[in-house]
């Protein structure tokens, strides 16, 4: 299976599409946002520092995130193909990633950009809810993504929660950070000939069908 990098604006659907790919094909899903949120949930002082940065909408330092990623890439499950969701976030991270993967005898096979306009991304962010128990994601503003019972996880019945950085003010900073730091990555992967841009203003299933045609 291919090693995939997702590049997308906040709330464009990287997590949702990753979950669908994991379910159908068994990819290893590496989300640096999740790795950081695990640190925050541990309740450590370091986690409290990370929380402040993440809630401001800025990026955590390259060194910290790269170290978390390096450890994760040592796990055996990445050998059968992985999805990187949220890393790289800038060109320096993309270069570090290439070096890191080369030392492990691996490479990025395809970069999938999920293209979404800012207003839709904002609506997605403000409606995003997820299950703290099983990780399933939903959206209260989009019919195709609503849970069957309002506020309750379809899979395990837990109460759904919102992310603390999914508010309008933080979203705008995160979107600006995306345009300034992350969007230049599209040229980086285009120059390597491995960029595919997919419009994701439709339903998650429509986007997933397009992604499948790219990875096959
Ligand atoms: P995400 O779950 O990918 O939306 O990430 C949530 C937050 O975690 C971001 O707004 C950043 O503060 C931080 N973060 C996640 N991945 C990275 C990364 N590769 N580099 C720097 N900060 C990151």
């Amino acid at each position: 299976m291919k090693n995939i990098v997702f590049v997308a604006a906040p709330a464009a659907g990287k997590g949702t599409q990753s979950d669908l790919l994991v379910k159908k094909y068994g990819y290893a899903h590496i989300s640096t946002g999740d790795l950081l949120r695990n640190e925050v949930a541990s309740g450590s002082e370091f986690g409290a520092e990370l929380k402040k940065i993440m809630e401001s909408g800025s990026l955590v330092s390259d060194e910290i995130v790269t170290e978390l990623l390096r450890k994760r890439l040592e796990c055996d499950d990445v050998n059968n193909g992985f999805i990187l969701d949220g890393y790289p976030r800038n060109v320096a991270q993309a270069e570090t990633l290439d070096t890191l993967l080369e030392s492990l005898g691996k490479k990025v096979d395809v970069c999938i950009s999920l293209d979404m306009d800012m207003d839709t991304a904002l609506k997605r962010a403000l409606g995003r809810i997820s299950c703290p128990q099983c990780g399933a994601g939903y959206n209260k503003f989009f019919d195709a993504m609503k849970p069957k019972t309002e506020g309750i996880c379809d899979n395990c019945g837990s109460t759904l929660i919102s992310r603390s950085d999914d508010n309008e003010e933080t979203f705008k900073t995160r979107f600006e950070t995306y345009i300034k730091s992350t969007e230049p990555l599209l040229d980086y992967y285009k120059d390597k000939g491995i960029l595919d841009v997919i419009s994701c203003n439709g339903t998650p299933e429509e986007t997933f069908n397009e992604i499948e045609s790219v990875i096959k």
Side-chain angles (χ1 to χ4, degrees):
M1 286 197 297
K2 291 191 169 143
N3 295 326
I4 303 168
V5 159
F6 273 131
V7 173
K14 300 186 295 284
T16 303
Q17 295 304 325
S18 298
D19 289 346
L20 293 169
L21 285 167
V22 169
K23 240 186 228 161
K24 185 154 178 187
Y25 297 101
Y27 281 95
H29 176 205
I30 306 175
S31 154
T32 45
D34 284 349
L35 294 175
L36 290 163
R37 280 184 286 276
N38 289 345
E39 287 291 332
V40 172
S42 75
S44 66
E45 250 177 63
F46 174 55
E49 288 300 312
L50 292 176
K51 188 167 189 256
K52 272 192 226 154
I53 301 169
M54 291 164 77
E55 285 185 348
S56 76
S58 305
L59 293 180
V60 172
S61 82
D62 289 354
E63 290 71 25
I64 291 172
V65 187
T66 301
E67 184 52 21
L68 288 173
L69 175 72
R70 196 186 57 72
K71 281 197 203 135
R72 179 65 183 85
L73 283 172
E74 282 169 5
C75 300
D76 286 343
D77 64 336
V78 302
N79 292 331
N80 296 325
F82 59 80
I83 302 162
L84 267 176
D85 156 3
Y87 192 105
R89 280 296 227 273
N90 55 40
V91 172
Q93 289 186 6
E95 289 167 350
T96 304
L97 176 65
D98 285 345
T99 309
L100 203 54
L101 290 178
E102 201 182 336
S103 71
L104 297 168
K106 303 184 197 306
K107 65 179 174 55
V108 174
D109 295 306
V110 60
C111 169
I112 299 179
S113 160
L114 301 178
D115 193 33
M116 177 174 271
D117 64 80
M118 183 175 140
D119 288 344
T120 312
L122 173 63
K123 192 172 168 200
R124 284 252 183 115
L126 298 183
R128 185 152 69 168
I129 38 178
S130 67
C131 177
Q133 290 303 320
C134 71
Y138 303 89
N139 199 296
K140 46 191 178 193
F141 296 150
F142 292 85
D143 286 344
M145 299 165 80
K146 284 181 182 167
K148 290 189 184 106
T149 308
E150 195 182 320
I152 301 294
C153 179
D154 293 352
N155 298 337
C156 69
S158 301
T159 301
L160 300 170
I161 55 168
S162 300
R163 269 170 53 169
S164 60
D165 59 350
D166 274 341
N167 58 73
E168 190 158 351
E169 198 188 329
T170 306
F171 176 85
K172 286 197 171 140
T173 309
R174 285 161 65 208
F175 200 88
E176 279 161 17
T177 306
Y178 170 75
I179 298 292
K180 189 168 137 252
S181 303
T182 310
E183 222 176 36
L185 278 176
L186 300 183
D187 281 337
Y188 181 85
Y189 287 113
K190 191 174 173 197
D191 289 347
K192 286 179 177 283
I194 57 170
L195 175 70
D196 269 282
V197 181
I198 290 177
S199 158
C200 59
N201 291 306
T203 65
E205 284 68 29
E206 284 163 353
T207 305
F208 186 62
N209 289 341
E210 286 203 46
I211 292 176
E212 278 191 302
S213 62
V214 166
I215 60 169
K216 276 176 182 166

